[in-house]
Structures are given as structure tokens and as C-alpha cells.
Amino acid sequence: MKNNKKFAKSLYSILLMAFMATGLLFNSNQALAYTQYYNSFDEYVEGEKSKDPDFKATWTGVAAAMHDLFTYAKEVYAEGKAEEAYDTVNAGYYNYYETSGFERIAMGKIAGSRKTEVELQFAATKAVTKEGGSVEDFNKEVDTLDQMITRDGYILDGKDPDNPEGESEGSGSAGWVTFMACFSIILREGFEAILIVGAIMAYLAKSAGDDMEEKKRKLRPVYIGSLVGIGASFLLAWVLDLVKLANTASQEVIEGVTALLAVVVLYYVSNWMLSKSETDTWNLYIKDKVQKSNQGGSLFALAFTAFLAVFREGAEVVLFFQPMLTGDEDAKMVWAGFGLGCVILVFVYLAIKFLSLRIPIKPFFTATSILMFIMSISFLGAGIKELIEGDVFVAHTIPFLEDVIPTNDVLDVLGIYPLYETLVPQVILLLVTLIIFIVVTGRNKRIHLEAQKNREESSENQTR
């Protein structure tokens, strides 16, 4: 009997140990089932260098590392861990796409609109986790994002994405790619700022007439605003890097708020210039002493507009260039691209400034007002998109526009994206502007008719 009890206890112990071992093995397999990945570009480089000291990252390699990260995101989302999946996708954007320089190089070598397309796909993927979408929906968005990154990686490495194992496309060395990327970035971002600053300075020069002292007095605040904007750009980049906010949601929020603030000032200046576009209206403005005493306020608004335009674009350029300054050769190509872009921008500014002096008051003011309005629309869309990337809003795409807008470089520069969050405010701003235009045009016409009547009466009196 005792032997039977001993046997039963032994059998029970063996079964219990076997069960526990099976459980441990099962749990171990579950843990091993997750795809292994690097959480950031720096971890990826460090990990690969520990295996091979001569390791040098390629864009296809970065894309492959991001693929592992995206695969992990799909695995945890399938288990109901939406927040972890969201953080993982976010790591792909902030820790890889921005930090590695992938975004900047893609802008230069592929297209600025391609960068926007990828950013919107990141936003669409994160939106699924925020709104509790199905596993199928999440996998679909992640797979689309993964394919876009992979394809771009092949292109950036000079390979045919449809035949990766084939011959290189012969697009040039990595240094040349860096040069073209930096050149296109400073040209693209600087052009927006130079359009605004150049238009403001041309306007002030025109309003001063032949009085050189008056011209210098009016232009000085705008020069100061532009220089302060440049200095503030470097300061912001340094502060963001110092407090570890560069390439984070906080950076996107700062850029978004700055852009929206610029919208307010640009829109004010646009309407102010439109109100003075009629020659008689402008003459009355100049002659009226009460209005003239308020010129300081208008001058400040113009200087502040120049500051915001330069600051917004300058900060973005500085932050874009930071990840590219990784080596001596890269640094040389970065500064070469930057320098050539700056030289071209100087000629653009001079062309705007001097050619505009030959344009009559009415067409010049009207054209400048339209330019300011277009930049308001652009900054409004770009600012809201930055806030979406900073997780302030969840993006909702407009399906029938999704395949048209992101791939269009012109619309991308104008800040027009296939999102309800950006298009609805832009349409509202457009409608408000149309109403203001009708009102202001009617008022200017009345002022013109009244001035014409006064001139006729004055002429009749002189004749008598």
C-alpha cells in the first residue's frame, strides 16, 4: 500500500514537473515569437557594429531594421496592445525616419511630396490604433508604410526597387546624394521665406519713393526681424537638442504653433496690402497724418512677418541638417549644398526687389496681397500637419483625394493635403477671404470714384 502511495506521489510529481516545464517552454516560445528589433537608429548602428566593426549603414539596411520594428507592432496589436503598437510606430518615425536622415535624403533625391506621403501614412497608421481599428486595418496601413519605406531605401541606395538584385541605377555617390538633398532643402524652405521678405522689402522701398533716408528707416526693422529670425532658428535647434526634444512630438508642436502664428500675421498683412491696392487709397493713406502716425505699428507687423517667415523655415532647415553632419565627407557636401542654395536665394531676392520697383502701385500691391494669402494657406495646412505629427490631432484622410494630393509637389508646397483637418480650415479661410475681397474692393472703388469726383471739381474750379 505504501509502495502504491509512493508510486502515486512520484507519478504526480513527474506529471506536475512535466506540466510546469511545458508551461515554461510555451511561455518561452511565446516570448521568442516576438520579432526582435532595434528601437532606434542609434541602437541599430551600435548593435550591428558590435557584430562587425566595419559596419556602415545603408538606406536599405535602415529600411530592413524598420521592417522588423513594424512587424513587432503588428504582433502586439494583434494581442490587443494598441498603445504599445502606437509607440512602436512612433519609434519608427521619430527614432528612424527623422533621426537617421532618411526623411531629408528622400526630400532631396526623390521629392518633397514623397516625404509628405510617408508622413501621412505614418499618421494614418497611428490613427488606427487611436480609434480602435481592426487588426486587418492596422496590418494594411503598416504594410503600406513598410512597402513605401522599403522602396525608398532601394532608391536612396541607387537600386531599382523593382529589381533590387539588379544593376545600380547609377544615381551617383552617397556624397552627391547628400549634396543634392541639402541643396533642395535650403532652396525649398528658403524660397518660401525669401518670397515673403522680398515682397515686404520691395513694398517698403516702393512706398518710400526716392527718399533714401526714409527707405533705410523703413527697411531697417525688416532686416533686423530677418536676422533675429535666423539667430532664433539656430537657438531653437540648439535648445531642442539640449533638452532632447529634437525629432520628437514636442518639436512638431513647436513648429506647428509657429506656422499658425505666422498665418495670423501673414493674413493681416495680406488684407492690409489689399486695402491699400487702389492708387487713390494709397495716396490718401500717405497724406493722412493720423494714418501716417500709425505707420510704426504697420512697420512692426511687417518686421514681425519677416521674422516669423525666416524663423519657421530656418528652424526647419537647421533641424533637417543636423542628422546629416555625421562625417567629414558628409559635412562638406552638406555645406556645399547649403552654400549653393543660399547663393541662388540671394539672386531670387534681388530679382523680386528690383523688378517689383517697376510695377505700378495697384498691380504690385494686389500681387503682394495674393502672395501673402497663398502663404497663409500654405502655412495653415503645414502647421496643422505638424500638429498631427505631434499627436495633437488624429488624421482623417479624404479617400478620393488620397491618391492625388500627396504625390503633387505643387500642392505639397502650398500645404494642401488630403486631410479633413487641413482642408476644412483652408476652405473656411478662402471663403472669409472672398468676402473680405468683395468688401474691400467695393470700398476702394468708392474711394476712387470720390477722389476722381474731387479732382474733376478741382479742375472745374481752376478753369473758372
Side-chain angles (χ1 to χ4, degrees):
M1 191 70 175
K2 285 184 179 182
N3 289 336
N4 289 339
K5 284 184 178 181
K6 283 183 179 180
F7 176 74
K9 281 185 178 181
S10 298
L11 182 61
Y12 174 76
S13 298
I14 293 170
L15 290 173
L16 182 62
M17 290 174 65
F19 177 77
M20 290 174 66
T22 303
L24 288 171
L25 182 61
F26 177 79
N27 289 334
S28 175
N29 286 336
Q30 280 290 89
L32 291 173
Y34 288 125
T35 300
Q36 301 297 304
Y37 69 95
Y38 295 109
N39 192 55
S40 69
F41 175 70
D42 291 337
E43 287 183 13
Y44 161 66
V45 173
E46 187 179 339
E48 293 302 310
K49 279 190 174 181
S50 67
K51 302 173 188 175
D52 178 9
D54 298 325
F55 169 79
K56 187 174 182 180
T58 61
W59 298 117
T60 48
V62 174
M66 293 175 71
H67 168 77
D68 293 339
L69 185 144
F70 294 145
T71 301
Y72 177 80
K74 291 197 293 184
E75 291 168 357
V76 294
Y77 193 77
E79 293 184 357
K81 300 176 182 177
E83 188 174 345
E84 188 173 353
Y86 173 87
D87 291 340
T88 305
V89 174
N90 242 2
Y93 180 72
Y94 292 114
N95 298 354
Y96 275 96
Y97 192 64
E98 286 203 334
T99 306
S100 67
F102 204 117
E103 174 189 33
R104 287 80 173 175
I105 296 294
M107 279 184 68
K109 187 173 181 182
I110 302 175
S113 59
R114 179 58 171 180
K115 163 208 172 246
T116 299
E117 193 174 7
V118 172
E119 287 177 337
L120 293 179
Q121 188 56 40
F122 267 109
T125 304
K126 292 190 290 184
V128 176
T129 67
K130 285 285 188 181
E131 299 179 344
S134 67
V135 173
E136 290 74 18
D137 288 340
F138 183 73
N139 288 348
K140 178 185 175 183
E141 299 295 350
V142 172
D143 287 341
T144 301
L145 178 60
D146 192 12
Q147 290 164 12
M148 293 168 73
I149 295 291
T150 300
R151 185 177 184 83
D152 290 355
Y154 285 129
I155 294 173
L156 296 181
D157 278 339
K159 298 178 180 179
D160 182 356
D162 299 317
N163 182 26
E165 302 303 323
E167 292 295 321
S168 168
E169 288 181 329
S171 56
S173 67
W176 178 249
V177 171
T178 300
F179 170 82
M180 289 305 298
C182 293
F183 171 72
S184 68
I185 287 169
I186 186 61
L187 204 61
R188 172 192 168 97
E189 305 299 330
F191 187 70
E192 293 183 25
I194 214 74
L195 275 178
I196 298 171
V197 175
I200 290 172
M201 288 187 168
Y203 148 70
L204 291 173
K206 182 181 284 290
S207 67
D210 296 327
D211 190 336
M212 295 305 296
E213 288 300 319
E214 181 69 5
K215 189 177 293 187
K216 288 179 181 179
R217 186 186 73 80
K218 287 185 173 183
L219 289 177
R220 191 177 297 114
V222 181
Y223 280 121
I224 293 172
S226 301
L227 290 174
V228 171
I230 293 172
S233 300
F234 283 97
L235 179 62
L236 175 64
W238 177 73
V239 170
L240 289 176
D241 187 61
L242 185 68
V243 297
K244 306 302 180 186
L245 290 180
N247 297 324
T248 67
S250 298
Q251 174 194 318
E252 309 291 352
V253 172
I254 292 171
E255 291 178 4
V257 171
T258 303
L260 295 181
L261 182 60
V263 170
V264 175
V265 182
L266 281 168
Y267 195 66
Y268 165 76
V269 174
S270 171
N271 287 304
W272 186 85
M273 286 187 170
L274 178 64
S275 70
K276 304 295 180 289
S277 60
E278 184 63 53
T279 305
D280 290 316
T281 309
W282 175 249
N283 290 336
L284 284 173
Y285 173 75
I286 293 297
K287 292 176 182 178
D288 192 335
K289 292 182 179 180
V290 176
Q291 290 281 15
K292 194 172 182 179
S293 67
N294 291 327
Q295 269 190 316
S298 299
L299 213 57
F300 173 78
L302 294 173
F304 190 52
T305 303
F307 164 77
L308 285 175
V310 173
F311 175 62
R312 182 189 179 276
E313 306 301 342
E316 197 164 352
V317 168
V318 174
L319 290 167
F320 271 12
F321 279 23
Q322 275 184 334
M324 295 185 180
L325 298 169
T326 55
D328 293 338
E329 196 62 35
D330 284 337
K332 289 177 183 177
M333 301 309 285
V334 167
W335 292 118
F338 175 81
L340 180 60
C342 287
V343 170
I344 292 177
L345 289 175
V346 168
F347 283 103
V348 171
Y349 161 70
L350 293 174
I352 293 173
K353 180 180 177 181
F354 291 111
L355 292 179
S356 62
L357 293 176
R358 302 177 183 177
I359 303 174
I361 287 286
K362 185 173 182 178
F364 172 74
F365 271 38
T366 302
T368 305
S369 176
I370 292 172
L371 170 64
M372 295 295 182
F373 168 70
I374 291 173
M375 298 310 296
S376 296
I377 290 288
S378 174
F379 279 34
L380 180 60
I384 294 174
K385 185 174 77 71
E386 296 286 358
L387 294 179
I388 289 172
E389 292 168 13
D391 300 330
V392 176
F393 302 119
V394 176
H396 298 88
T397 58
I398 304 174
F400 68 92
L401 292 177
E402 196 172 2
D403 295 329
V404 179
I405 291 179
T407 55
N408 188 310
D409 281 345
V410 175
L411 293 179
D412 182 52
V413 170
L414 293 176
I416 298 175
Y417 312 109
L419 302 173
Y420 285 106
E421 288 77 15
T422 58
L423 278 180
V424 171
Q426 287 173 323
V427 170
I428 292 173
L429 186 64
L430 177 60
L431 293 175
V432 171
T433 301
L434 288 175
I435 295 171
I436 292 174
F437 178 79
I438 293 170
V439 172
V440 170
T441 302
R443 189 188 67 183
N444 285 347
K445 188 175 182 181
R446 288 194 300 273
I447 292 174
H448 172 68
L449 291 174
E450 187 177 338
Q452 189 176 26
K453 183 180 177 181
N454 292 335
R455 283 193 294 269
E456 290 173 354
E457 289 177 354
S458 177
S459 177
E460 288 177 1
N461 291 333
Q462 287 177 1
T463 303
R464 291 173 187 173

